[in-house]
């Protein structure tokens, strides 16, 4: 009987594994056709400067319309990274962002910076490294108007190519932000190895900051460390007035989160910029 049991549980687990693999294979196929059909759009979340009490930066966030329902990037970016589709998605997002930036410039909103997420995986997997700068130039935009946020959901191989590409982007005038700092793989080691202009403190720390003393200490230490290194700090996922107050008193540079605004459709940006008031 024991033997039978072992065998049953083996079959059970291998069934589970193949279900998971099938699901992922399905997702990969629908992602491929979504890329083909251009079923993506992007939304823009304001990043508020605490020093200037103004908005000049937005994070560009992808949205996938899958047969009429929206799929969260958290549910498809890891698969896109795993199956080598992420750089097509990244290019698509960069193009949409550039088009919108041209729109804003034409309407007289200059000095706007768009933060575009790019997976660290792309940097280390032999992407054509001139192409991102070419895209920015193609739209006649200045590289200063694009910040690349390094994100990582699948552990990327350590690679010197990554550092070379980052340096190239930075030398051209783009800025580089380290996303989700303090979680997963986004760590001190990246801060050591990569040319980082901005560090984004992960939402996880911010949402506990006013409740858990240890998290407040960590946020405070991250801000001090960034200042000592000459790196700009953005707090992510700020939802409460209490969190804003604490971040102001800790000397944080920028705040992003629902407290100020959810991500916005592109057509809402001009009016948002006109109407924005810090207080
Ligand atoms: P992220 O880059 O850390 O982006 C911030 C995420 O937090 C966004 O989720 C945003 O909508 C959400 N957020 C912002 N403020 C708040 C808040 O106050 N409360 C809460 N609960 N959430 C807040 P979203 O748009 O679902 O994106 C999830 C992740 O997917 C992003 O995290 C990023 O890692 C990835 N992602 C999104 N767009 C792209 C893209 O174009 N390329 C790549 N490679 N990754 C992307
Ligand atoms: Mg980001
Ligand atoms: Mg983030
Ligand atoms: Mg995050």
């Amino acid at each position: 009987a024991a033997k039978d049991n072992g065998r049953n549980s083996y079959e059970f687990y291998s069934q589970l594994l193949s279900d998971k693999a099938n699901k992922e294979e399905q997702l990969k196929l629908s992602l491929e056709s979504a890329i083909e059909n251009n079923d993506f759009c992007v939304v823009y979340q304001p990043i508020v400067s605490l020093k200037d009490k103004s908005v000049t930066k937005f994070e560009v966030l992808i949205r996938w319309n899958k047969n009429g329902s929206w799929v969260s990037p958290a549910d498809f970016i890891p698969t896109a990274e795993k199956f080598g589709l992420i750089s097509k998605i990244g290019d698509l997002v960069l193009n949409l962002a550039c088009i919108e930036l041209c729109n804003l410039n034409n309407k007289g909103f200059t000095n706007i910076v768009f933060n575009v997420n790019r997976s660290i995986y792309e940097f280390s997997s032999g992407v054509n490294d001139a192409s991102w700068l070419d895209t920015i130039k193609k739209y006649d935009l200045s590289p200063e108007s694009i910040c690349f946020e390094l994100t990582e959901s699948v552990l990327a191989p350590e690679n010197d190519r990554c550092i070379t590409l980052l340096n190239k982007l930075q030398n051209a005038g783009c800025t580089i932000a380290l996303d989700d700092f303090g979680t997963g793989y986004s760590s001190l080691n990246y801060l050591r190895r990569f040319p980082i202009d901005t560090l984004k403190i992960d939402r996880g720390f911010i949402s506990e900051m006013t409740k858990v003393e240890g998290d407040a200490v960590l946020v405070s230490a991250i801000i001090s460390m960034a200042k000592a290194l000459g790196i700009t700090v953005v707090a992510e996922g700020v939802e409460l007035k209490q969190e804003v107050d604490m971040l102001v008193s800790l000397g944080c540079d920028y705040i992003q989160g629902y407290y100020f605004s959810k991500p916005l459709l592109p057509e809402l940006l001009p009016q948002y910029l006109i109407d924005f008031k810090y207080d």
Side-chain angles (χ1 to χ4, degrees), residues 42-48 55-63 113-115 117 149 200 203 234-239 255-266 269 272:
V42 291
V43 287
Y44 298 84
Q45 189 175 33
I47 301 172
V48 177
V55 173
T56 51
K57 302 177 199 284
F58 294 86
E59 179 170 8
V60 186
L61 295 158
I62 193 168
R63 295 292 177 262
V113 174
F114 277 174
N115 283 28
N117 290 286
E149 290 194 7
K200 299 188 78 176
R203 174 161 65 88
V234 181
E236 294 189 296
V238 177
E239 296 183 352
I255 280 182
Q256 181 181 351
Y258 297 167
Y259 177 78
F260 283 107
S261 175
K262 291 203 166 178
L264 304 167
L265 292 171
L269 297 186
Y272 182 85

Side-chain angles (χ1 to χ4, degrees), residues 60-154:
V60 186
L61 295 158
I62 193 168
R63 295 292 177 262
W64 177 14
N65 185 340
K66 192 180 177 216
N67 311 316
S69 55
W70 296 101
V71 189
S72 158
D75 294 332
F76 68 84
I77 294 291
T79 303
E81 289 186 331
K82 189 169 162 189
F83 291 100
L85 299 170
I86 192 66
S87 115
K88 279 192 177 152
I89 289 176
D91 288 345
L92 204 140
V93 170
L94 181 59
N95 272 281
L96 289 172
C98 286
I99 292 168
E100 186 51 32
L101 208 44
C102 290
N103 263 333
L104 287 178
N105 284 342
N106 289 337
K107 290 191 168 123
F109 301 98
T110 49
N111 297 324
I112 303 286
V113 174
F114 277 174
N115 283 28
V116 174
N117 290 286
R118 303 280 326 211
S119 159
I120 290 184
Y121 205 77
E122 296 181 65
F123 288 84
S124 31
S125 62
V127 103
N128 169 14
D129 57 1
S131 75
W132 301 0
L133 290 170
D134 287 348
T135 301
I136 298 169
K137 282 199 204 103
K138 183 178 87 187
Y139 289 98
D140 225 5
L141 292 164
S142 101
E144 280 80 8
S145 57
I146 300 290
C147 168
F148 289 104
E149 290 194 7
L150 297 182
T151 66
E152 184 176 44
S153 67
V154 174

